[in-house]
Amino acid sequence: MLKSHYSSQLLEKAVTEINRLPGIGSKTALRLALHLLRQDEGRVEALAESLVEMRQGVRYCQVCYNICDDERCEICSNPTRDSSLVCVVENVQDVMAIENTMQYRGLYHVLGGVISPMDGIGPGDLQIESLVERVRQGGVEEVILALSPTMEGDTTNYYIFRKLEDTGVKVTVIARGIAQNDELQYTDEVTLGRALAGRIPFGK
Amino acid sequence: MLKSHYSSQLLEKAVTEINRLPGIGSKTALRLALHLLRQDEGRVEALAESLVEMRQGVRYCQVCYNICDDERCEICSNPTRDSSLVCVVENVQDVMAIENTMQYRGLYHVLGGVISPMDGIGPGDLQIESLVERVRQGGVEEVILALSPTMEGDTTNYYIFRKLEDTGVKVTVIARGIAQNDELQYTDEVTLGRALAGRIPFGK
C-alpha cells in the first residue's frame, strides 16, 4: 500500500499509535480509529483511561510475580489455597489457563518467560532465583513445572530442576501426551512416544 | 472460553475496554493489554492521548464532509485542485483509496454511507441534500459517482442521479469491468456483461 493520504493529522497520529500494537496492521488501525471517531467522547476517554490506569497501577505480586493490584495477588493471599504446592508457569496467560481448568488449588510462580539464548533471555532475566529462595524459605513440598513443551521450555525445566536439587523439594512436570479429541494417527512421534512412556494404570 | 480469572482488576478493565473494539476478541484484547504493560508509561500515554485528541479534535469539512482538523479539508482548500469535478464516495477510506491512485485532481463529497433500508439508513442520514445544494450553488460541472458496486451503492447512485437531474450537471459513474490481473474465466456474469457493454475504443 502506498503512503496513505490522511486528511487529518489527528487521525493520522492516532492510526500511527494504534499501528504500533503487535498484530495490528495499518488498515486495521485505520478501521479502529474511524470506529472510535463514531463513538461517544466518553467511550473513547474510558478506553484511554483504562489503558493509562492499568499501566500505572498494575504491580507484580511479591510472592509469585503474577500481575496484581496490590502487594500480593489474590491467589497468594487466599488462605484456602494449598501453599505447599507451587506451579511454575511462563506468563500470566498460563496462570489464567490453569485457573480455568478449576483443577488446581495450589499457588504459582510466574517466570516471565523461558530461557532462550536466541532471544537473549538468560536465567537471570527470569524469576528463577526468587523461586529457589521461596523454596528455601520452607513450606513448599512440591514444585510443578508447567512450561510449554518446547526446546526452550525443556531447557528451563532442566535448569530449574538442577537449581532445586539440593533443596530436597519434590519436582514434578505436567504430563505430556495426546490431547483430548486428537487422532492417534496424526499425532507426532515425540508426543506419541512420550504418551506411551508416561502411561498410567487404567482407571486412575 | 470460560470466564477468565484476572488477577488484576485494572488489567481486566483494560481488556474489557479493548474487547469492545470491533474485530478484537477477548484473547487478542488480553494480548494487547499485556503488551502495553511491558511498554514504557510514556508510550501508553501517547497512545491514550492520541485517541482522545483525535476524538475531540477531528472535524468534518464544511464543503465535502471529509474528516479534517479545520473548517475545510486540505483537498477542498487546495487551489490547484479542479473544483468543477466532484467525486461522490461512501467514506473516508474511499477518499484515501482514490487519492492513492494519484489519478484524480478534483474534489470529493463524502456521503457517510449508502442507502440501506436493512440497516435503517435512509437518504436523510447521508450527505445527499448538501451535495445537491453544492451543485446548485454553481461551479460544479461533473459529479462522478464512485460508490461500491453493490445493491445499496446502485440504489444510492440512482437516488442521487434523480436528485441532480434538474440541476443540469453532468453525472458519470466509475467504470465497472474486469479488475487488473483477474482471469476472464473466473469473472462473474454481471461483471463480464458490464465490461462488454462498457467497452471503449482500443488505445484510448
Side-chain angles (χ1 to χ4, degrees):
Chain A
M1 195 173 154
L2 279 163
K3 195 202 164 309
S4 289
H5 297 74
Y6 290 93
S7 52
S8 158
Q9 303 286 318
L10 292 170
L11 174 67
E12 183 168 10
K13 201 176 158 199
V15 171
T16 306
E17 289 292 339
I18 300 172
N19 197 8
R20 280 185 214 270
L21 294 169
I24 307 277
S26 59
K27 288 212 171 182
T28 303
L30 176 61
R31 188 172 56 76
L32 293 176
L34 291 171
H35 166 82
L36 288 174
L37 267 183
R38 286 191 301 270
Q39 307 307 304
D40 285 341
E41 255 185 64
R43 279 249 52 77
V44 178
E45 282 164 6
L47 167 64
E49 265 169 37
S50 74
L51 300 181
V52 172
E53 280 173 11
M54 172 189 73
R55 180 62 188 79
Q56 291 177 342
V58 161
R59 292 199 265 174
Y60 292 91
C61 173
Q62 290 307 300
V63 179
C64 74
Y65 300 91
N66 189 7
I67 278 172
C68 64
D69 298 338
D70 301 299
E71 290 271 299
R72 277 181 177 224
C73 74
E74 287 173 8
I75 297 170
C76 285
S77 48
N78 183 344
T80 70
R81 308 278 305 213
D82 182 353
S83 61
S84 71
L85 268 178
V86 172
C87 181
V88 177
V89 291
E90 189 177 333
N91 55 40
V92 181
Q93 289 105 310
D94 295 341
V95 173
M96 291 166 78
I98 294 177
E99 286 296 290
N100 278 339
T101 68
M102 302 207 273
Q103 304 268 320
Y104 183 67
R105 298 297 302 161
L107 305 183
Y108 293 93
H109 199 87
V110 183
L111 293 184
V114 283
I115 297 170
S116 172
M118 291 282 280
D119 302 312
I121 302 173
D125 301 312
L126 307 172
Q127 293 296 341
I128 294 177
E129 222 28 77
S130 59
L131 171 67
V132 176
E133 188 50 41
R134 192 174 165 187
V135 171
R136 282 229 171 85
Q137 282 178 355
V140 179
E141 283 164 26
E142 182 178 348
V143 170
I144 304 167
L145 300 173
L147 304 180
S148 295
T150 58
M151 204 174 68
E152 289 81 9
D154 286 344
T155 306
T156 313
N157 277 342
Y158 187 67
Y159 183 89
I160 293 173
F161 173 71
R162 290 296 300 270
K163 276 278 183 183
L164 290 174
E165 234 172 355
D166 62 338
T167 64
V169 76
K170 184 176 165 192
V171 178
T172 56
V173 64
I174 56 168
R176 303 211 181 153
I178 299 167
Q180 186 73 12
N181 296 328
D182 259 13
E183 285 196 54
L184 203 82
Q185 59 178 324
Y186 300 123
T187 305
D188 67 284
E189 301 80 8
V190 177
T191 303
L192 201 50
R194 290 214 185 210
L196 274 168
R199 67 192 179 278
I200 53 170
F202 189 77
K204 233 197 161 178
Chain B
M1 194 172 156
L2 279 164
K3 195 203 164 308
S4 290
H5 297 74
Y6 290 93
S7 53
S8 158
Q9 303 285 318
L10 293 170
L11 174 66
E12 183 169 9
K13 201 175 157 199
V15 171
T16 307
E17 289 292 340
I18 299 172
N19 195 9
R20 279 184 214 273
L21 294 170
I24 309 277
S26 58
K27 288 212 171 182
T28 302
L30 176 61
R31 188 172 58 75
L32 293 176
L34 292 171
H35 166 83
L36 289 174
L37 268 183
R38 287 191 301 271
Q39 307 306 304
D40 285 340
E41 257 185 62
R43 279 250 51 79
V44 178
E45 282 164 6
L47 167 63
E49 265 169 36
S50 74
L51 300 182
V52 172
E53 279 173 10
M54 171 189 72
R55 179 61 187 82
Q56 291 177 342
V58 160
R59 293 200 266 175
Y60 292 90
C61 172
Q62 289 308 299
V63 178
C64 73
Y65 299 91
N66 190 7
I67 278 172
C68 64
D69 298 336
D70 301 298
E71 290 271 298
R72 277 181 178 223
C73 75
E74 286 173 9
I75 297 169
C76 285
S77 48
N78 182 343
T80 70
R81 309 276 309 211
D82 182 352
S83 62
S84 70
L85 268 178
V86 172
C87 181
V88 177
V89 292
E90 189 177 334
N91 55 39
V92 181
Q93 288 104 309
D94 296 340
V95 172
M96 290 165 79
I98 293 177
E99 286 296 290
N100 278 338
T101 67
M102 302 206 274
Q103 304 268 320
Y104 182 67
R105 298 296 303 162
L107 306 183
Y108 294 92
H109 199 87
V110 182
L111 292 184
V114 283
I115 298 170
S116 172
M118 292 281 281
D119 302 311
I121 302 172
D125 302 310
L126 307 172
Q127 293 296 342
I128 294 178
E129 220 31 74
S130 60
L131 172 67
V132 177
E133 187 52 39
R134 193 174 165 188
V135 171
R136 282 228 171 85
Q137 283 177 356
V140 179
E141 282 164 27
E142 181 177 348
V143 170
I144 303 167
L145 301 173
L147 304 181
S148 295
T150 58
M151 204 173 68
E152 289 80 9
D154 286 344
T155 306
T156 314
N157 276 341
Y158 188 67
Y159 183 89
I160 293 172
F161 173 72
R162 291 295 301 270
K163 277 277 184 184
L164 291 175
E165 235 174 354
D166 61 339
T167 65
V169 76
K170 183 177 167 190
V171 179
T172 56
V173 65
I174 57 168
R176 302 208 182 155
I178 301 166
Q180 187 72 12
N181 295 329
D182 260 13
E183 285 196 55
L184 204 82
Q185 59 178 326
Y186 301 123
T187 305
D188 68 284
E189 301 80 7
V190 177
T191 302
L192 201 50
R194 289 212 186 213
L196 274 169
R199 65 193 181 275
I200 53 168
F202 190 77
K204 232 193 162 181

